[in-house]
Each structure stands twice: as C-alpha cells, then as structure tokens.
Amino acid sequence: MAILEDKSFKYPAEDECLVRRLGSGVIAAWPGLPPEARAKILEQAQIAWDREHFVSKLPAKLEAILRRRG
C-alpha cells in the first residue's frame, strides 16, 4: 500500500459531507489496514486542516473513536 506525502488537505464547505464519508470508510476498514497505514492515517489526522483549529486531547479522541468501532 502506498503511503501519501505529507500535505495539508483543505476542502470547501460543500465537500464536508464527502470528507466525513471518507472518514467513515477509513474507520470501517481500520481493522484490515496494515499497521504502517494506520500509523500514517493517525499522523495525518492529527495535523489535518479543519474548521475547528484546536481539539483538546485529539490523539486520544481519535484512538477512542477507532476503539468504539472495533
């Protein structure tokens, strides 16, 4: 599986529903992803652009949502 370069992905507000759907797809596929892909996705999620600039305890919250699904 190819690992993407570090880039800040920004999207217009009208694409937010698509970004959420992709995120849901990643969460659904999470158990079958290789460890290096999981690590890269979490790394990118922590630095991703978002309208909410600061989310307290972000790494722990990302891990928690993945645990709830798994």
Coordinates of all heavy atoms in Angstrom, one line a residue:
M1 N 0.8 -1.2 0.0 CA 0.0 0.0 0.0 C 0.9 1.2 0.0 O 1.8 1.4 0.8 CB -0.9 0.0 1.2 CG -1.7 1.2 1.4 SD -2.8 1.1 2.9 CE -4.3 1.6 2.1
A2 N 0.6 2.2 -0.9 CA 1.4 3.4 -1.0 C 1.0 4.3 0.1 O -0.1 4.5 0.5 CB 1.2 4.1 -2.3
I3 N 2.0 5.0 0.7 CA 1.8 5.9 1.8 C 1.9 7.3 1.1 O 2.9 7.6 0.4 CB 2.8 5.8 2.9 CG1 2.8 4.4 3.5 CG2 2.7 6.8 4.0 CD1 1.4 4.0 4.2
L4 N 1.0 8.2 1.4 CA 0.9 9.5 0.8 C 2.0 10.5 1.4 O 2.4 10.3 2.6 CB -0.5 10.1 1.0 CG -1.6 9.3 0.5 CD1 -2.9 10.0 0.9 CD2 -1.5 9.2 -1.0
E5 N 2.3 11.5 0.6 CA 3.2 12.5 1.1 C 2.5 13.4 2.1 O 1.3 13.4 2.1 CB 3.6 13.4 -0.1 CG 4.4 12.7 -1.2 CD 4.7 13.7 -2.3 OE1 4.7 15.0 -2.0 OE2 4.9 13.3 -3.4
D6 N 3.3 14.0 3.0 CA 2.7 15.0 3.9 C 2.2 16.2 3.2 O 2.9 16.9 2.6 CB 3.7 15.4 5.0 CG 4.1 14.3 5.9 OD1 3.3 13.3 6.0 OD2 5.1 14.4 6.6
K7 N 0.9 16.4 3.2 CA 0.3 17.6 2.6 C -0.9 17.9 3.5 O -1.6 17.1 4.0 CB -0.2 17.3 1.2 CG 0.9 17.1 0.2 CD 0.3 16.9 -1.2 CE 1.5 16.7 -2.2 NZ 1.0 16.5 -3.5
S8 N -1.2 19.2 3.6 CA -2.3 19.7 4.3 C -3.5 19.7 3.3 O -3.5 20.5 2.3 CB -2.1 21.1 4.8 OG -3.3 21.5 5.5
F9 N -4.5 18.8 3.5 CA -5.6 18.7 2.7 C -6.7 19.7 3.1 O -7.2 19.6 4.3 CB -6.2 17.3 2.7 CG -7.5 17.1 2.0 CD1 -7.5 17.2 0.6 CD2 -8.6 16.9 2.7 CE1 -8.7 17.0 -0.1 CE2 -9.8 16.7 2.0 CZ -9.9 16.8 0.6
K10 N -7.1 20.6 2.3 CA -8.1 21.6 2.6 C -9.3 21.4 1.6 O -9.1 21.0 0.5 CB -7.6 23.0 2.5 CG -6.6 23.4 3.6 CD -6.3 24.8 3.5 CE -5.3 25.1 4.6 NZ -4.9 26.5 4.7
Y11 N -10.5 21.6 2.1 CA -11.6 21.3 1.3 C -12.7 22.4 1.5 O -12.8 23.0 2.6 CB -12.3 20.0 1.6 CG -12.6 19.8 3.1 CD1 -13.8 20.2 3.6 CD2 -11.6 19.3 4.0 CE1 -14.1 20.0 4.9 CE2 -11.9 19.1 5.3 CZ -13.2 19.5 5.8 OH -13.5 19.3 7.1
P12 N -13.5 22.7 0.5 CA -14.5 23.7 0.7 C -15.7 23.1 1.5 O -15.8 21.9 1.6 CB -15.0 24.0 -0.8 CG -14.6 22.8 -1.6 CD -13.4 22.2 -0.9
A13 N -16.4 24.0 2.1 CA -17.5 23.6 3.0 C -18.5 22.6 2.3 O -19.0 21.7 2.9 CB -18.3 24.8 3.5
E14 N -18.7 22.8 1.0 CA -19.7 21.9 0.3 C -19.2 20.5 0.2 O -19.9 19.6 -0.1 CB -20.1 22.5 -1.0 CG -19.0 22.7 -2.0 CD -18.3 24.0 -2.0 OE1 -18.5 24.8 -1.0 OE2 -17.6 24.3 -3.0
D15 N -17.9 20.3 0.4 CA -17.3 18.9 0.3 C -17.2 18.2 1.7 O -16.8 17.1 1.8 CB -15.9 19.0 -0.3 CG -15.9 19.2 -1.8 OD1 -17.0 19.2 -2.4 OD2 -14.8 19.5 -2.4
E16 N -17.7 18.9 2.7 CA -17.5 18.3 4.1 C -18.2 17.0 4.2 O -17.7 16.1 4.8 CB -18.0 19.3 5.1 CG -17.7 18.8 6.5 CD -17.8 19.9 7.6 OE1 -17.8 21.1 7.2 OE2 -17.8 19.5 8.7
C17 N -19.4 16.9 3.5 CA -20.1 15.6 3.6 C -19.3 14.5 3.0 O -19.3 13.3 3.4 CB -21.5 15.7 3.0 SG -21.5 16.0 1.2
L18 N -18.5 14.8 2.0 CA -17.7 13.8 1.3 C -16.5 13.4 2.2 O -16.2 12.2 2.3 CB -17.2 14.3 -0.1 CG -18.3 14.7 -1.0 CD1 -17.7 15.4 -2.2 CD2 -19.2 13.6 -1.4
V19 N -15.9 14.4 2.8 CA -14.8 14.1 3.7 C -15.3 13.2 4.9 O -14.6 12.3 5.3 CB -14.2 15.4 4.2 CG1 -13.1 15.2 5.3 CG2 -13.6 16.2 3.0
R20 N -16.4 13.5 5.4 CA -17.0 12.7 6.5 C -17.2 11.3 6.0 O -16.9 10.3 6.8 CB -18.3 13.3 7.0 CG -18.2 14.5 7.9 CD -19.4 14.8 8.7 NE -20.6 14.8 7.8 CZ -21.1 15.9 7.2 NH1 -20.6 17.1 7.4 NH2 -22.2 15.9 6.5
R21 N -17.7 11.1 4.8 CA -18.0 9.7 4.3 C -16.7 9.0 4.1 O -16.6 7.8 4.4 CB -18.7 9.8 3.0 CG -20.2 10.2 3.2 CD -20.9 10.4 1.9 NE -22.2 10.9 2.2 CZ -23.3 10.2 2.1 NH1 -23.2 8.9 1.7 NH2 -24.5 10.7 2.3
L22 N -15.6 9.7 3.6 CA -14.3 9.0 3.5 C -13.8 8.6 4.9 O -13.2 7.5 5.1 CB -13.3 9.9 2.8 CG -13.5 10.0 1.3 CD1 -12.7 11.1 0.7 CD2 -13.2 8.7 0.6
G23 N -14.0 9.5 5.9 CA -13.5 9.2 7.2 C -14.3 8.0 7.8 O -13.7 7.1 8.4
S24 N -15.6 7.9 7.5 CA -16.3 6.8 7.9 C -15.8 5.5 7.3 O -15.8 4.4 7.9 CB -17.8 7.0 7.6 OG -18.3 8.0 8.4
G25 N -15.5 5.6 6.0 CA -14.9 4.5 5.3 C -13.6 4.0 5.9 O -13.4 2.8 6.0
V26 N -12.8 4.9 6.3 CA -11.5 4.6 6.9 C -11.7 3.9 8.2 O -11.1 2.8 8.5 CB -10.6 5.8 7.1 CG1 -9.4 5.5 8.0 CG2 -10.1 6.4 5.8
I27 N -12.7 4.4 9.0 CA -13.0 3.8 10.3 C -13.5 2.3 10.1 O -13.1 1.4 10.8 CB -14.0 4.6 11.1 CG1 -13.3 5.9 11.5 CG2 -14.5 3.8 12.3 CD1 -14.2 6.9 12.1
A28 N -14.3 2.1 9.1 CA -14.9 0.8 8.8 C -13.8 -0.2 8.3 O -13.8 -1.3 8.7 CB -16.0 0.9 7.8
A29 N -12.8 0.3 7.6 CA -11.8 -0.5 7.0 C -10.6 -0.7 8.0 O -9.7 -1.5 7.8 CB -11.3 0.1 5.7
W30 N -10.6 0.1 9.1 CA -9.5 0.2 10.0 C -8.9 -1.2 10.5 O -7.7 -1.4 10.4 CB -9.9 1.0 11.2 CG -8.7 1.4 12.1 CD1 -8.3 0.8 13.3 CD2 -7.8 2.4 11.9 NE1 -7.2 1.4 13.8 CE2 -6.8 2.4 12.9 CE3 -7.6 3.3 10.9 CZ2 -5.8 3.3 13.0 CZ3 -6.5 4.2 10.9 CH2 -5.7 4.2 12.0
P31 N -9.8 -2.2 10.9 CA -9.2 -3.4 11.4 C -8.4 -4.2 10.3 O -7.5 -4.9 10.7 CB -10.5 -4.2 11.7 CG -11.5 -3.2 12.0 CD -11.2 -2.1 11.0
G32 N -8.7 -4.0 9.0 CA -7.9 -4.7 8.0 C -6.7 -3.9 7.4 O -6.0 -4.4 6.6
L33 N -6.5 -2.7 7.9 CA -5.4 -1.9 7.4 C -4.1 -2.4 8.0 O -4.0 -2.7 9.2 CB -5.6 -0.4 7.7 CG -6.8 0.2 7.0 CD1 -6.9 1.7 7.4 CD2 -6.6 0.1 5.5
P34 N -3.0 -2.4 7.3 CA -1.7 -2.7 7.9 C -1.2 -1.6 8.9 O -1.6 -0.5 8.8 CB -0.7 -2.7 6.7 CG -1.5 -2.3 5.5 CD -2.9 -2.0 5.9
P35 N -0.5 -2.0 9.9 CA 0.0 -1.1 10.9 C 0.6 0.2 10.4 O 0.3 1.3 11.0 CB 1.0 -1.9 11.8 CG 0.6 -3.3 11.5 CD 0.1 -3.4 10.1
E36 N 1.4 0.1 9.4 CA 2.1 1.3 8.9 C 1.0 2.3 8.2 O 1.2 3.5 8.3 CB 3.2 1.0 7.9 CG 2.8 0.3 6.6 CD 2.7 -1.2 6.7 OE1 3.0 -1.8 7.8 OE2 2.5 -1.9 5.7
A37 N 0.0 1.8 7.6 CA -1.1 2.6 7.1 C -1.9 3.2 8.2 O -2.2 4.4 8.2 CB -2.0 1.8 6.2
R38 N -2.2 2.5 9.3 CA -2.9 3.0 10.4 C -2.1 4.2 11.0 O -2.6 5.2 11.4 CB -3.1 1.9 11.5 CG -4.1 0.9 11.1 CD -4.2 -0.1 12.2 NE -5.2 -1.1 12.0 CZ -5.6 -1.9 12.9 NH1 -5.1 -1.9 14.2 NH2 -6.5 -2.8 12.7
A39 N -0.8 4.0 11.2 CA 0.1 5.0 11.8 C 0.1 6.3 11.0 O 0.0 7.4 11.5 CB 1.5 4.5 12.0
K40 N 0.2 6.1 9.7 CA 0.2 7.3 8.8 C -1.1 8.0 8.8 O -1.1 9.2 8.8 CB 0.6 6.8 7.4 CG 0.8 8.0 6.4 CD 2.0 8.8 6.8 CE 2.3 9.8 5.8 NZ 3.5 10.6 6.2
I41 N -2.2 7.3 8.8 CA -3.5 7.9 8.9 C -3.7 8.7 10.1 O -4.2 9.8 10.1 CB -4.7 6.9 8.7 CG1 -4.6 6.3 7.3 CG2 -6.0 7.5 9.0 CD1 -5.5 5.1 7.0
L42 N -3.3 8.1 11.3 CA -3.4 8.8 12.6 C -2.5 10.1 12.6 O -2.9 11.1 13.1 CB -3.1 7.9 13.7 CG -4.2 6.9 14.1 CD1 -3.6 6.0 15.2 CD2 -5.4 7.7 14.6
E43 N -1.3 9.9 12.0 CA -0.4 11.1 11.9 C -1.0 12.2 11.1 O -1.0 13.4 11.6 CB 0.9 10.6 11.3 CG 1.9 11.7 11.1 CD 3.1 11.2 10.3 OE1 3.6 10.1 10.6 OE2 3.5 11.9 9.3
Q44 N -1.6 11.9 10.0 CA -2.2 12.9 9.1 C -3.5 13.5 9.8 O -3.7 14.7 9.6 CB -2.5 12.3 7.7 CG -1.3 12.0 6.9 CD -0.5 13.2 6.6 OE1 -1.1 14.2 6.1 NE2 0.8 13.2 6.9
A45 N -4.2 12.6 10.4 CA -5.5 13.1 11.1 C -5.1 14.2 12.2 O -5.9 15.1 12.4 CB -6.2 12.0 11.7
Q46 N -4.0 14.0 12.8 CA -3.6 14.9 13.9 C -3.2 16.3 13.4 O -3.3 17.3 14.1 CB -2.5 14.3 14.8 CG -3.1 13.1 15.6 CD -2.0 12.5 16.4 OE1 -1.2 13.2 17.1 NE2 -2.0 11.2 16.4
I47 N -2.7 16.3 12.1 CA -2.3 17.6 11.6 C -3.2 18.1 10.5 O -2.9 19.2 9.9 CB -0.8 17.5 11.0 CG1 -0.7 16.5 9.9 CG2 0.2 17.1 12.1 CD1 0.6 16.4 9.1
A48 N -4.3 17.5 10.2 CA -5.2 17.9 9.2 C -5.8 19.2 9.5 O -6.1 19.6 10.6 CB -6.3 16.8 9.0
W49 N -6.1 20.0 8.4 CA -6.8 21.2 8.5 C -8.2 20.9 8.8 O -8.8 19.9 8.4 CB -6.7 22.0 7.2 CG -7.6 23.2 7.1 CD1 -7.2 24.4 7.5 CD2 -8.9 23.3 6.7 NE1 -8.2 25.3 7.4 CE2 -9.3 24.6 6.8 CE3 -9.8 22.4 6.2 CZ2 -10.6 25.1 6.5 CZ3 -11.1 22.8 5.8 CH2 -11.5 24.2 6.0
D50 N -8.8 21.8 9.6 CA -10.2 21.6 10.0 C -10.7 23.0 10.4 O -10.0 23.8 10.9 CB -10.4 20.6 11.1 CG -11.8 20.2 11.3 OD1 -12.3 19.3 10.6 OD2 -12.5 20.8 12.2
R51 N -12.0 23.2 10.3 CA -12.6 24.5 10.8 C -12.4 24.6 12.3 O -12.3 25.7 12.8 CB -14.1 24.5 10.5 CG -14.4 24.7 9.0 CD -15.8 24.8 8.7 NE -16.5 23.5 9.1 CZ -17.7 23.3 9.5 NH1 -18.5 24.4 9.6 NH2 -18.2 22.2 9.7
E52 N -12.4 23.5 13.0 CA -12.1 23.6 14.5 C -10.6 23.5 14.6 O -10.0 22.4 14.5 CB -12.7 22.4 15.2 CG -13.8 22.8 16.1 CD -14.4 21.6 16.8 OE1 -15.3 21.0 16.3 OE2 -13.9 21.3 17.9
H53 N -9.9 24.6 14.9 CA -8.5 24.6 14.9 C -7.8 23.9 16.1 O -6.8 23.3 15.9 CB -8.0 26.1 14.9 CG -8.4 26.8 13.7 ND1 -7.9 26.6 12.5 CD2 -9.3 27.8 13.5 CE1 -8.4 27.4 11.6 NE2 -9.3 28.1 12.2
F54 N -8.5 23.8 17.2 CA -7.9 23.2 18.4 C -8.9 22.2 19.0 O -10.1 22.6 19.3 CB -7.5 24.2 19.4 CG -6.9 23.5 20.7 CD1 -5.6 23.0 20.6 CD2 -7.7 23.4 21.8 CE1 -5.1 22.4 21.8 CE2 -7.2 22.8 22.9 CZ -5.9 22.3 22.9
V55 N -8.6 21.0 19.0 CA -9.4 20.0 19.7 C -8.5 19.4 20.8 O -7.5 18.8 20.6 CB -9.8 18.8 18.7 CG1 -10.6 17.7 19.4 CG2 -10.6 19.4 17.5
S56 N -9.0 19.6 22.0 CA -8.2 19.1 23.2 C -8.2 17.6 23.2 O -9.1 16.9 22.8 CB -8.8 19.6 24.5 OG -10.1 19.0 24.7
K57 N -7.0 17.1 23.5 CA -6.8 15.6 23.6 C -7.1 14.9 22.3 O -7.6 13.8 22.3 CB -7.6 15.0 24.8 CG -7.2 15.6 26.1 CD -8.1 15.1 27.2 CE -7.8 15.8 28.5 NZ -8.6 15.4 29.6
L58 N -6.7 15.5 21.2 CA -7.0 15.0 19.9 C -6.5 13.6 19.7 O -7.3 12.7 19.2 CB -6.5 15.9 18.8 CG -6.8 15.5 17.3 CD1 -8.3 15.4 17.1 CD2 -6.2 16.4 16.4
P59 N -5.3 13.3 19.9 CA -4.8 11.9 19.7 C -5.6 10.8 20.4 O -6.0 9.8 19.9 CB -3.4 11.9 20.1 CG -2.9 13.3 20.0 CD -4.2 14.1 20.4
A60 N -5.9 11.1 21.7 CA -6.7 10.2 22.5 C -8.1 10.1 22.0 O -8.7 9.0 21.9 CB -6.8 10.6 24.0
K61 N -8.7 11.1 21.5 CA -10.1 11.1 20.9 C -10.1 10.3 19.6 O -11.1 9.6 19.3 CB -10.6 12.5 20.7 CG -10.9 13.2 22.1 CD -11.5 14.6 21.9 CE -11.8 15.2 23.2 NZ -12.3 16.6 23.1
L62 N -9.1 10.5 18.8 CA -9.0 9.7 17.6 C -8.9 8.2 17.8 O -9.6 7.4 17.2 CB -7.8 10.1 16.7 CG -7.9 11.5 16.1 CD1 -6.6 11.9 15.5 CD2 -9.0 11.6 15.0
E63 N -8.1 7.8 18.8 CA -7.9 6.4 19.2 C -9.2 5.9 19.8 O -9.6 4.8 19.5 CB -6.8 6.3 20.2 CG -5.4 6.6 19.7 CD -4.8 5.4 18.9 OE1 -5.4 4.4 18.8 OE2 -3.7 5.6 18.3
A64 N -9.9 6.7 20.5 CA -11.2 6.3 21.2 C -12.3 6.0 20.1 O -13.0 5.0 20.3 CB -11.7 7.3 22.1
I65 N -12.4 6.8 19.1 CA -13.4 6.5 18.1 C -13.1 5.2 17.3 O -14.0 4.5 17.0 CB -13.6 7.7 17.1 CG1 -14.9 7.6 16.4 CG2 -12.5 7.9 16.2 CD1 -15.3 8.8 15.7
L66 N -11.8 5.0 17.1 CA -11.4 3.7 16.4 C -11.7 2.5 17.3 O -12.1 1.5 16.9 CB -10.0 3.8 16.0 CG -9.6 4.8 15.0 CD1 -8.2 5.0 14.8 CD2 -10.3 4.4 13.6
R67 N -11.5 2.6 18.6 CA -11.8 1.5 19.6 C -13.2 1.3 19.6 O -13.7 0.1 19.7 CB -11.2 1.9 21.0 CG -9.7 1.6 21.1 CD -9.3 1.6 22.6 NE -9.7 2.8 23.3 CZ -9.0 3.9 23.3 NH1 -7.9 4.0 22.7 NH2 -9.4 5.0 24.0
R68 N -14.1 2.3 19.6 CA -15.5 2.1 19.7 C -16.0 1.3 18.5 O -16.9 0.6 18.6 CB -16.2 3.5 19.8 CG -16.2 4.1 21.1 CD -17.2 5.2 21.3 NE -17.1 6.2 20.2 CZ -16.5 7.4 20.3 NH1 -15.8 7.7 21.4 NH2 -16.5 8.3 19.3
R69 N -15.4 1.6 17.3 CA -15.9 0.9 16.1 C -15.4 -0.5 16.1 O -16.0 -1.4 15.6 CB -15.3 1.7 14.9 CG -15.5 1.0 13.6 CD -17.0 0.9 13.2 NE -17.1 0.4 11.9 CZ -17.5 -0.8 11.6 NH1 -17.7 -1.7 12.5 NH2 -17.6 -1.2 10.3
G70 N -14.2 -0.8 16.6 CA -13.5 -2.1 16.5 C -14.1 -3.0 17.4 O -14.2 -4.2 17.4

